[in-house]
Amino acid sequence: MDKFRRTALALGASLLAAGALMAPMSAAHAQATAPTNAKLKVGLMLPYTGTFASLGNAIENGFRLYVTEQGGKLSGREVEFVKVDDESDPSKATDNVNKLVKRDNVDVLVGTVHSGVAMAMAKVAKETNTLLIVPNAGADAVTGAMCAPNIFRSSFSNWQPGYAMGEVLAKKGVKRVATITWKYAAGDEAVRGFKEAFEKGGGTVVKELNLPFPNVEFQALLTDIAATKPDAVFTFFAGGGAVKFVKDYAAAGLKKSIPLYGSGFLTDGTLDAQGDAAEGLFTTLHYADSLSVPKDKSFRLNYAKTFKLQPDVYAVQGYDAAQILAIGLKATNGDVSKKAEFAAAVEAAKIDSPRGAFTLSKAHNPVQDIYLRQVEAKENKMVGIATKALNDPARGCKM
Ligand code: PHB
């Protein structure tokens, strides 16, 4: 064999050997990277029917807007949505969330609006170590006793807007307040937050009125308020229930004699339907219609262009849920299984929200300014900051 042939054979053999080596290597490589190149399955569990239907739609719109702004991909992964209508029904919540986790194998759960449903989602997310981003429900436990490295909230805790309004009314010198809300976690916790700050500031909650969610038969309770004659009323209602409550309160003639205050859900996304009945109402919330936040200007413009609708707080929370997901994915190269790296990145981030930039607490709840707003010409005008950088106490969170 001449030298040339020997070299050629040797080269061929080594190429073959290299090929043999490379084949399993590339298979292994493909296996390791396949999940991060595949479509990213986002499980949207939201109310699309019932009193919170418009809230669910606004959250989905906000989420989609952010994804569209990124070209439909997050960290190189095309985003695919799987949707479940949770009907704001806690009794169906575990089955609904299991459909997304076990049947559809979603990479991340995004939901929901109703606190009772969200707690069932958090339980399943914890047990299955599925990533969960809560784009509304304020259940204190989600970033309290149930807090977990894989659970995040882009919205608020029920305690936050209630607490801020308690401070506002105490500072104003209001002394006797009656509260009225739905009897479930969101109502109970909003009132508890309000009461904590209001009584610390020298006020007294003289009566706590309730009705079951999502009932809207307010007449007997309004009669009770008229008879009690408090200095003011504090309330939590949202969505369709808030529309009816604000109208009934005005129609009962109470609006002029007993000022009505609420956490800002009372007048967010509801003003067109409430009309004059809402004019002048003061509320506290982490968003308003008249912020001078540059990010808000572009967000509102894009939202209005895309959906032919004005955004509300729910749209902002949906948008920010997508931002939180994007931040975590960027740090993990699109791999949702890297929970610790995902959490570390989100915990270190300043989220560029239309509400104003915010950070997440150690328990993964927004630390944020709570605005005092007043309804003026169908807008929630920002009057001032009720409480700066308010941090939920995260009671019971061990993380
Ligand atoms: C809740 O159930 O946590 C909830 C629902 C609607 C809102 C706010 C909170 O607007």
Side-chain angles (χ1 to χ4, degrees), residues 52 55 112-118 136-139 153 156 158 182 184-187 189 213 236-239 263-266 268 313-314 317:
F52 291 156
L55 288 61
T112 185
V113 169
H114 184 286
S115 274
V117 178
N136 182 71
R153 183 149 55 194
F156 60 90
N158 290 320
W182 280 312
Y184 82 109
E189 292 168 359
F213 175 88
F236 164 83
F237 288 111
S263 47
F265 311 108
L266 188 69
D268 229 84
V313 69
Y314 308 105
Q317 294 168 169

Side-chain angles (χ1 to χ4, degrees), residues 323-365:
Q323 293 211 70
I324 287 174
L325 178 60
I327 290 164
L329 288 175
K330 192 168 171 213
T332 58
N333 253 323
D335 185 349
V336 290
S337 71
K338 294 184 175 156
K339 298 287 188 308
E341 290 94 325
F342 188 104
V346 175
E347 284 167 15
K350 201 165 177 181
I351 295 142
D352 187 17
S353 171
R355 78 189 79 174
F358 71 89
T359 55
L360 287 190
S361 67
K362 270 188 75 74
H364 298 168
N365 189 65

Side-chain angles (χ1 to χ4, degrees), residues 240-259:
V243 170
K244 178 143 191 308
F245 182 75
V246 165
K247 286 176 124 177
D248 286 5
Y249 196 85
L254 290 171
K255 194 178 165 205
K256 286 181 216 93
S257 51
I258 307 172

Side-chain angles (χ1 to χ4, degrees), residues 169-289:
L169 292 199
K171 272 191 209 134
K172 223 172 132 72
V174 174
K175 291 294 176 218
R176 299 170 66 253
V177 166
T179 64
I180 177 166
T181 188
W182 280 312
K183 184 80 206 142
Y184 82 109
D188 292 346
E189 292 168 359
V191 166
R192 213 178 297 146
F194 171 81
K195 196 170 168 178
E196 186 182 328
F198 185 57
E199 300 204 335
K200 211 192 289 174
T204 311
V205 170
V206 294
K207 185 159 253 176
E208 296 185 30
L209 298 167
N210 295 287
L211 74 170
F213 175 88
N215 288 11
V216 289
E217 304 312 320
F218 301 119
Q219 282 316 318
L221 301 174
L222 294 175
T223 304
D224 198 335
I225 289 171
T228 305
K229 295 192 175 60
D231 298 334
V233 166
F234 171 78
T235 189
F236 164 83
F237 288 111
V243 170
K244 178 143 191 308
F245 182 75
V246 165
K247 286 176 124 177
D248 286 5
Y249 196 85
L254 290 171
K255 194 178 165 205
K256 286 181 216 93
S257 51
I258 307 172
L260 177 63
Y261 300 91
S263 47
F265 311 108
L266 188 69
T267 58
D268 229 84
T270 55
L271 290 174
D272 284 339
Q274 287 163 333
D276 289 346
E279 195 66 15
L281 294 183
F282 284 95
T283 61
T284 41
L285 202 65
H286 47 286
Y287 189 58
D289 290 322

